[in-house]
Amino acid sequence: MAASPRVAMVAGETSGDLLAGLLIDGMQAHWPDLQTCGIGGPQMQRRGFDAWWPSEKLAVHGYSMEVLRRLRELLGIRKQLRERLLKDSPDVFIGVDAPDFNLGLEADLRAAGIKTVHFVCPSIWAWRAERVEKIRRSADHVLCIFPFEPELLARHGIAATYVGHPLAGVIPMVPDRAAARAQLGLQDTDEVLAILPGSRSSEVAYITQPFFEAAALVRKARPAIKLIVPAVPALRERIVQAAQAAGLGGVVQIVSGQSHAVLAACDTTLIASGTATLEAALFKRPMVIGYHMHPLSWWLMRRKQLQPWVGLPNILCGDFVVPELIQDAATPQALCAATLQWLDARQHHPEKITALEQRFTALHESLRRNTPQLAADAIQKILHPAA
């Protein structure tokens, strides 16, 4: 067995921390004495990662205003990290998602002779197609989580490997709804709406209030419905305040974390666009996707949007299989109406729910691979091409 490498990594926010943690699992199976360091979160640290900065430092939202407010801090962190890695070079640098932070750093490290890997292909097939040139300069290899991406990258001369989506291996093909409800103190007969307003501070600022106002309207139509929110601990107090402002203070059940249990337990979910929508699809749950951001951020994003869909389940299915209510369309009334349609379908048109579950099952099967092992195998070939 080859000597264990020293691997530097950067993972931004909660989803990147989860992906990086699974990648570390695969690498540790190859190299039991693996050394990892850089920017990471609790999932990575649990596996022995030396976090020089916590991953939440990179948790920014939007395309312009939100990032600009913290740009000086982010650039300072990247400069310090680059200098530290150039002074004491790792065997390989792996940037996990966070392309705005990682690709520039990877380009500098690669120019200095350090091997670079980017895990999670930026969504050049959805928007910002011009970013492909930056990927080509920055990454020796890209680890892709969607099956169509390696061919797309190959057209631009970028080496890539499809490793499957890690969440597809973590989430069971048939979720245990009863166990999840028991864990959360819910009855099997309860009608349950899950509300997932996002894991970033700015997401909570923009979308939580419309979500809770929509939930209040849903509750007027269906008084017995149970409302449950999985909250990132750091944002819990803000979510509690938003629930109170919507008149739901004594009604909504707010739990710390446990988003997978909440998705397994619910009948439908009102959910912010992002990775969580893919998780909801893997749990085979009907959903209403909502999102709102700073108006300038939205204008800039729309100019570069390449597909009619915003939510990952719709992008991957190539169809509007679940409703999307984005920006000005994300009113409490519209969010409520779309949510009630799913709840009514469970009672009166179960064939619609069955059809959606079949689409999501096929999606799950296409994404399910042994991601930690495939990713670690690809990294081993990059480190030892002749092996």
Side-chain angles (χ1 to χ4, degrees):
M1 181 180 290
S4 294
R6 180 168 170 266
V7 179
M9 303 175 74
V10 169
E13 60 194 86
T14 305
S15 59
D17 180 42
L18 172 63
L19 295 174
L22 295 170
L23 179 54
I24 291 172
D25 285 341
M27 291 191 293
Q28 286 177 337
H30 274 276
W31 303 293
D33 298 323
L34 180 78
Q35 299 177 57
T36 55
C37 58
I39 299 177
Q43 293 289 342
M44 300 165 72
Q45 292 173 52
R46 215 167 281 147
R47 293 160 168 90
F49 183 84
D50 182 8
W52 299 341
W53 288 271
S55 59
E56 59 260 29
K57 285 286 187 182
L58 308 189
V60 292
H61 161 60
Y63 188 53
S64 62
M65 301 305 293
E66 293 85 5
V67 178
L68 286 174
R69 279 195 287 268
R70 293 191 51 219
L71 185 59
R72 185 174 180 179
E73 178 190 8
L74 292 170
L75 290 176
I77 291 172
R78 188 164 68 177
K79 181 175 184 289
Q80 292 176 64
L81 178 61
R82 179 175 60 243
E83 290 173 352
R84 188 166 179 175
L85 294 177
L86 290 174
K87 186 176 181 180
D88 185 13
S89 299
D91 294 294
V92 63
F93 174 84
I94 304 173
V96 183
D97 211 358
D100 288 314
F101 186 95
N102 277 326
L103 289 177
L105 177 61
E106 289 165 23
D108 292 342
L109 298 178
R110 190 182 188 203
I114 298 171
K115 294 181 186 296
T116 59
V117 175
H118 195 81
F119 185 22
V120 183
C121 177
S123 303
I124 53 174
W125 36 265
W127 71 306
R128 292 183 71 173
E130 77 281 358
R131 193 181 255 168
V132 71
E133 295 301 325
K134 194 167 188 177
I135 299 169
R136 181 158 52 190
R137 291 195 307 271
S138 302
D140 287 302
H141 204 90
V142 178
L143 303 177
C144 299
I145 61 176
F146 298 127
F148 58 84
E149 292 173 328
E151 182 183 351
L152 174 62
L153 291 172
R155 291 182 213 150
H156 298 278
I158 301 168
T161 301
Y162 173 53
V163 298
H165 200 295
L167 290 171
V170 172
I171 296 171
M173 194 63 72
V174 181
D176 192 337
R177 179 177 179 271
R181 290 195 166 206
Q183 177 181 330
L184 297 168
L186 299 166
Q187 300 301 312
D188 190 57
T189 54
D190 287 338
E191 186 174 53
V192 180
L193 171 62
I195 305 168
L196 280 76
S199 59
R200 304 171 184 169
S201 176
S202 49
E203 285 176 331
V204 170
Y206 278 109
I207 199 64
T208 301
Q209 204 61 47
F211 273 15
F212 279 143
E213 290 175 11
L217 294 173
V218 170
R219 190 165 178 269
K220 283 184 180 179
R222 307 176 89 91
I225 197 165
K226 303 291 186 182
L227 307 176
I228 186 165
V229 182
V232 175
L235 301 175
R236 182 186 177 100
E237 187 53 39
R238 290 176 63 184
I239 289 173
V240 168
Q241 291 172 3
Q244 290 171 344
L248 297 174
V251 176
V252 66
Q253 179 181 349
I254 301 173
V255 298
S256 293
Q258 302 184 74
S259 61
H260 283 192
V262 169
L263 287 171
C266 74
D267 292 298
T268 192
T269 177
L270 187 53
I271 190 166
S273 180
T275 303
T277 62
L278 179 59
E279 294 177 272
L282 296 175
F283 276 102
K284 326 297 184 298
R285 293 301 180 252
M287 73 190 83
V288 176
I289 298 173
Y291 211 62
H292 201 283
M293 62 179 69
H294 190 282
L296 181 56
S297 295
W298 173 244
W299 180 77
L300 289 167
M301 194 191 87
R302 284 299 300 270
R303 290 181 64 218
K304 295 175 178 285
Q305 189 175 347
L306 302 178
Q307 299 197 34
W309 313 285
V310 172
L312 276 171
N314 290 339
I315 290 172
L316 295 171
C317 291
D319 193 7
F320 282 103
V321 295
V322 296
E324 297 180 357
L325 295 165
I326 310 299
Q327 206 64 5
D328 293 341
T331 65
Q333 293 75 17
L335 293 165
C336 168
T339 302
L340 288 174
Q341 285 184 1
W342 282 127
L343 294 171
D344 290 341
R346 280 204 177 275
Q347 292 182 335
H348 305 297
H349 300 285
E351 70 280 0
K352 292 184 178 180
I353 304 298
T354 300
L356 183 73
E357 290 171 347
Q358 289 171 347
R359 293 291 294 270
F360 286 164
T361 297
L363 174 61
H364 197 156
E365 289 171 345
S366 74
L367 299 178
R368 196 174 198 180
R369 299 290 185 274
N370 188 341
T371 300
Q373 181 179 326
L374 290 172
D377 288 345
I379 292 165
Q380 185 177 38
K381 290 176 183 175
I382 294 161
L383 286 169
H384 307 288

